[in-house]
Amino acid sequence: MRVCVAGAYGAFGTKHLEALACIDGVTVTAVMGPTQAKIDALAAERGIGFASTSLEACIAHEDVDAIILATPTQMHAEQAIACMNAGKPVLIEIPMADSLADSEGICRVQKQTGVLAMAGQVRRFNPSHQWIRNKIDAGELKIQQMDVQTYFFRRSNMNAKGEPRSWTDHLLWHHACHTVDLFQYQTGEVASECFGLEGPHHPELGIAMDMSIGMKTPSGAICTLSLSFNNDGPLGTFFRYICDNGTYIARYDDLYDGRENQIDLSDVAMSSNGIELIDREFISAIEEGREPNGSVHDTLDAMRTLDRIERSFS
């Protein structure tokens, strides 16, 4: 499998390059980035044969079978559609788009072309959340409440590598997207009730810097999500699962019970790296000719719920 990583110079593009290097039979044959000098240097460093600032050039390159988009969110819909129209399976980093209309457009083109398209809902693949899902599927757990905190300190437009961004991140359409999808995936239900509250908008970035979201499923499970770009403290996303049979705390790829005893996840998946696991699912689905876990259709309900939350702000 010959893969192009678009947005390879960014924080998550780099994570995908590292993950793909762990998968047998996969070669990164092309990379795309914002400036030729930077992407040429990256390609030379990693021994990648083709580098361009043009996604169209990467799509047309004869040694590319599939594409991972780790590009700015605002580009996702147009770029994903271009990949599918060219017959190239595509994995779109979260979120697949920053509006419901664009997300529906991606799904529409996927149906028209039949080309595999997957959204990067990596939380489904983190071993900590897989462990919970396995217990739910076995009938051993039922979620009563998810309490989630997503906290950053980002008062200027910088990426995860501490470099200036060319685009503006968003608490709702990017960071809340993780939890909205995970809550609906783990409960097996679409939120029947949802709302959001925004804090003050940044005077230059024009986005809310703090946000609170609530959701409830038809069976009664609830989710409380707090998000902030103002948090000067421990950073990241922390999940507390309050269940009918235990409480569990997930921190990235680690899991603890409610009394902070760490749970062994070594037998959950072949890797402890969620990015590697989602890339493995993408490659396997292409090779097996099946719909992946996290296909654009499978995750569209999360985008519908985000749209409902956004409309609740006004």
Side-chain angles (χ1 to χ4, degrees):
M1 186 71 64
R2 301 167 300 179
V3 178
C4 166
V5 177
Y9 188 78
F12 274 81
T14 301
K15 290 178 183 290
H16 282 287
L17 290 174
E18 294 169 350
L20 292 167
C22 298
I23 305 176
D24 291 340
V26 174
T27 304
V28 177
T29 54
V31 286
M32 188 271 273
T35 64
Q36 196 66 53
K38 285 184 176 182
I39 202 63
D40 281 345
L42 178 65
E45 176 188 340
R46 294 180 176 268
I48 297 167
F50 185 79
S52 177
T53 59
S54 165
L55 180 63
E56 291 73 17
C58 292
I59 291 173
H61 190 58
E62 60 183 2
D63 288 336
V64 169
D65 300 314
I67 297 171
I68 295 176
L69 295 177
T71 50
T73 299
Q74 291 85 347
M75 299 179 176
H76 286 179
E78 181 180 353
Q79 291 179 336
I81 288 170
C83 292
M84 289 184 284
N85 282 334
K88 307 287 186 179
V90 60
L91 168 59
I92 314 159
E93 249 303 339
I94 188 170
M96 73 165 106
D98 58 1
S99 73
L100 177 58
D102 280 349
S103 301
E104 290 174 336
I106 291 171
C107 291
R108 193 160 47 246
V109 173
Q110 195 289 319
K111 284 186 177 180
Q112 291 168 355
T113 62
V115 176
L116 185 147
M118 182 177 176
Q121 297 288 2
V122 69
R123 294 290 177 261
R124 295 184 178 208
F125 297 88
N126 292 120
S128 52
H129 300 299
Q130 281 201 50
W131 188 92
I132 296 288
R133 176 63 183 240
N134 292 341
K135 294 290 185 182
I136 292 169
D137 289 344
E140 298 175 18
L141 288 180
K142 184 177 180 181
I143 295 172
Q144 308 295 315
Q145 179 179 180
M146 284 175 62
D147 186 85
V148 185
Q149 299 172 330
T150 295
Y151 291 155
F152 302 95
F153 189 67
R154 191 177 295 166
R155 292 179 177 170
S156 58
N157 205 14
M158 308 292 282
N159 68 14
K161 295 168 71 174
E163 299 173 346
R165 266 204 174 104
S166 61
W167 56 286
T168 303
D169 202 359
H170 201 285
L171 284 177
L172 179 67
W173 285 99
H174 180 183
H175 299 288
C177 187
H178 282 291
T179 298
V180 170
D181 179 76
L182 183 65
F183 177 60
Q184 296 185 156
Y185 177 68
Q186 298 287 53
T187 60
E189 298 181 277
V190 176
S192 52
E193 299 177 44
C194 59
F195 71 90
L197 300 172
E198 286 189 307
H201 282 218
H202 191 283
E204 297 171 2
L205 300 178
I207 58 170
M209 299 294 284
D210 292 277
M211 191 173 293
S212 177
I213 289 172
M215 295 178 285
K216 183 177 182 179
T217 67
S219 68
I222 62 173
C223 177
T224 302
L225 170 60
S226 170
L227 308 106
S228 181
F229 281 149
N230 278 320
N231 178 67
D232 190 6
L235 307 180
T237 301
F238 314 101
F239 300 81
R240 180 179 292 269
Y241 287 93
I242 301 173
C243 305
D244 60 345
N245 186 23
T247 293
Y248 302 93
I249 302 164
R251 301 186 182 101
Y252 288 97
D253 294 312
D254 295 321
L255 185 67
Y256 303 81
D257 67 18
R259 300 185 182 277
E260 293 289 348
N261 298 304
Q262 188 162 9
I263 293 171
D264 181 12
L265 303 175
S266 60
D267 61 347
V268 173
M270 66 187 306
S271 171
S272 62
N273 182 343
I275 298 292
E276 178 186 335
L277 294 173
I278 197 171
D279 287 353
R280 286 184 178 277
E281 172 67 4
F282 177 54
I283 300 299
S284 296
I286 296 170
E287 293 176 337
E288 297 166 13
R290 60 173 174 81
E291 185 172 2
N293 178 3
S295 75
V296 292
H297 301 288
D298 188 25
T299 58
L300 185 59
D301 277 332
M303 312 310 281
R304 290 176 173 140
T305 300
L306 289 170
D307 181 69
R308 290 163 58 205
I309 292 169
E310 184 172 62
R311 286 187 278 115
S312 77
F313 291 150
S314 55

